[in-house]
Amino acid sequence: MDFGLTDEQKDIKYAARDFAEKEFSDIAESCDEKEIFPREVWKKACQLGFVGSFVEPAYGGSGLGLLDYTLIAEEFWRVDPGIGQALFSTAFGAEIIEKHGTEEQKTSYLPAVVRGEKIMGLATTEPDAGSDITSIKTTAVRQGDTYVINGSKTMIGNGSIGDFLLVLCLTNPERPKIHDRFSFFIVETGRVGYDGTHMHGKMGLRAYDSADVSFDGVEIPATNLLGDVEGKGFYQAMDFFNMSRTWVGGFALGAAQGAMEKAIRHIRERKQFGHPLSHFQALRFKVAEMATYVEMIRNMVYKAAWNMDRGLKDHKLVAMAKWIAGSLAVKVVDEALQLHGGYGYFSDYGIEKYYRAVKAVEIYEGTKEIEKHIISNEILGRE
Ligand SMILES: Cc1cc2nc3c(=O)[nH]c(=O)nc-3n(C[C@H](O)[C@H](O)[C@H](O)COP(=O)(O)OP(=O)(O)OC[C@H]3O[C@@H](n4cnc5c(N)ncnc54)[C@H](O)[C@@H]3O)c2cc1C
């Protein structure tokens, strides 16, 4: 067993840290406050190979492993979750194109995403279909050389600023097995009948666009069906979640680490009752607990990524890592804010942004309850 990062992985981690520390601080607050996507920093991040860098060199990426990509996620969120989320979201779903797309789809779409020329997103959630993606109603109907898409999606990352989305649609409702009824389509947002409306007032992660999206008879070429066979969408989504849940675990790790570091600095500087706060045993114990939780998150998330990089697909371990990462990070960030006292409640101290952001990890990419479904089903079998 090897618990260490390679020299190359340390280089990736520290390069991501340097980049985030240098580029995020000046824009983070205004992007959060005004809900603005950080376009220039996104371009720079792409030029330096941080975005979608798991994509193979043949399609413009650097072929990084899942652990490498998770390290970047961690470092970006450590500095600013909102900017980190916005940058990562621009390649959200690129794994699906790379693993399951046709050669033409890979060469047409992936290099532009990795180079920072195009923004993509992934659309599964609908107003009546969240945790249960098999209840989606958006349809794609084949008509000659085209498909016509009708329906709506919600909370879709980059739905109002992106160039194209990977959209999960119902294509084969007649099939007896429910999981065989869905397919992904690449839908350019400039097509007639597409509408993406920014959803204002997210609790956190506001530099990242979330949108209500509707498809009103959107016509796309039949070649935009992901891969060349209908009915694979559900399986492609599940395969993707094994990867995305792992680097989302990296988001939680980064938030916990970043918030804890801020809290430690604060209690060393702030004096009450004639001593720095770090003098008081009750608060020292809080730091001990936070640091232990961060270590637990790191071990689970890195292990899940390390296994995936070795082709050991462990659905259960990924679900465990994502659940524990979100839940413990929420606890750590809560204590980090508490250690700031009243100042923690004000944005000037830069701690409440972690608090607002980290909750998302317990909700998207599978809620914590859904992760526990997966874990218990793997252990006890399905009921
Ligand atoms: C910041 C953010 C970004 C997002 N980005 C995207 C995106 O880019 N693309 C996209 O497609 N979606 C996106 N989503 C949507 C997200 O994936 C869904 O919110 C999530 O899957 C949960 O679905 P829901 O909100 O409909 O909740 P519901 O499914 O209605 O669940 C409500 C509650 O009930 C629980 N629950 C549901 N079913 C069960 C059950 N059987 N047993 C026990 N508990 C259950 C859930 O865990 C949850 O606590 C985003 C969400 C957020 C918050």
Side-chain angles (χ1 to χ4, degrees):
M1 254 186 168
D2 182 357
F3 285 102
L5 297 178
T6 63
D7 287 344
E8 202 188 335
Q9 284 165 337
K10 286 180 197 156
D11 287 347
I12 292 168
K13 189 169 161 69
Y14 295 124
R17 177 176 297 191
D18 282 351
F19 176 76
E21 286 180 346
K22 199 163 124 231
E23 300 288 343
F24 292 6
S25 351
D26 286 350
I27 53 157
E29 208 178 318
S30 71
C31 286
D32 179 56
E33 203 180 303
K34 297 178 189 148
E35 304 191 8
I36 297 171
F37 175 75
R39 207 161 274 276
E40 277 180 31
V41 172
W42 161 62
K43 293 247 174 218
K44 280 189 198 166
C46 291
Q47 280 154 14
L48 291 170
F50 291 122
V51 176
S53 27
F54 51 82
V55 170
E56 288 303 323
Y59 309 111
S62 335
L64 292 190
L66 188 53
L67 179 52
D68 306 330
Y69 204 53
T70 302
L71 296 172
I72 301 172
E74 174 188 345
E75 291 301 330
F76 280 10
W77 265 55
R78 174 181 161 272
V79 176
D80 189 81
I83 304 293
Q85 172 82 22
L87 301 186
F88 259 63
S89 73
T90 62
F92 188 49
E95 292 96 331
I96 304 181
I97 300 182
E98 180 165 41
K99 280 193 81 178
H100 307 288
T102 62
E103 192 55 31
E104 200 192 329
Q105 288 165 348
K106 293 190 227 184
T107 46
S108 305
Y109 293 95
L110 292 175
V113 167
V114 176
R115 287 190 206 124
E117 290 155 11
K118 290 206 167 149
I119 292 175
M120 68 172 293
L122 179 76
T124 59
T125 308
E126 297 185 1
D128 294 326
S131 298
D132 176 14
I133 64 170
T134 62
S135 58
I136 62 159
K137 295 195 190 92
T138 297
T139 52
V141 176
R142 178 96 189 220
Q143 287 183 3
D145 288 340
T146 65
Y147 279 93
V148 178
I149 303 185
N150 281 291
S152 59
K153 302 276 180 188
T154 188
M155 299 185 248
I156 304 308
N158 300 324
S160 83
I161 63 161
D163 298 285
F164 68 93
L165 299 180
L166 208 46
V167 183
L168 189 67
C169 299
L170 183 63
T171 42
N172 308 85
E174 76 293 348
R175 291 195 179 167
K177 195 172 167 204
I178 195 166
H179 297 146
D180 293 343
R181 296 177 188 167
F182 310 97
S183 311
F184 273 112
F185 292 88
I186 298 170
V187 181
E188 293 85 358
T189 56
R191 295 216 176 252
V192 176
Y194 177 92
D195 185 62
T197 305
H198 179 71
M199 297 167 76
H200 286 285
K202 268 208 304 291
M203 177 174 164
L205 305 177
R206 293 198 193 144
Y208 153 72
D209 171 48
S210 297
D212 274 320
V213 167
S214 63
F215 308 89
D216 183 6
V218 176
E219 209 172 320
I220 53 168
T223 49
N224 281 26
L225 165 70
L226 189 83
D228 40 22
V229 198
E230 289 178 357
K232 303 281 181 206
F234 176 83
Y235 304 99
Q236 292 161 348
M238 292 303 123
D239 186 41
F240 168 66
F241 288 146
N242 277 328
M243 295 174 265
S244 61
R245 285 176 181 157
T246 305
W247 51 254
V248 163
F251 285 169
L253 173 57
Q257 177 75 42
M260 178 177 73
E261 287 172 9
K262 275 188 189 290
I264 291 171
R265 272 199 300 277
H266 181 77
I267 63 168
R268 283 194 161 132
E269 285 163 14
R270 171 94 174 148
K271 284 189 180 155
Q272 288 294 284
F273 302 99
H275 294 283
L277 293 174
S278 58
H279 165 82
F280 299 106
Q281 195 59 47
L283 303 192
R284 297 174 73 83
F285 275 12
K286 278 185 194 280
V287 171
E289 285 167 16
M290 289 159 78
T292 307
Y293 290 154
V294 170
E295 190 61 20
M296 285 165 72
I297 303 172
R298 180 166 285 117
N299 277 283
M300 290 286 282
V301 171
Y302 284 11
K303 184 177 176 191
W306 191 87
N307 272 8
M308 289 282 291
D309 281 338
R310 276 152 192 79
L312 303 165
K313 246 187 229 170
D314 187 343
H315 214 51
K316 172 163 62 68
L317 179 65
V318 170
M320 287 172 167
K322 157 82 167 44
W323 162 51
I324 211 70
S327 297
L328 292 183
V330 164
K331 273 187 207 290
V332 170
V333 171
D334 181 43
E335 281 297 13
L337 193 148
Q338 186 71 18
L339 286 171
H340 281 73
Y343 300 100
Y345 209 74
F346 291 84
S347 62
D348 284 359
Y349 280 76
I351 195 79
E352 51 81 54
K353 68 180 180 185
Y354 293 95
Y355 193 83
R356 290 186 286 111
V358 74
K359 184 66 193 167
V361 179
E362 291 199 304
I363 298 171
Y364 61 20
E365 294 305 286
T367 63
K368 60 181 171 181
E369 290 80 13
I370 294 304
E371 303 305 349
K372 288 182 209 171
H373 258 293
I374 296 168
I375 299 163
S376 58
N377 282 346
E378 293 273 333
I379 296 170
L380 299 168
R382 286 173 190 275
E383 287 278 302

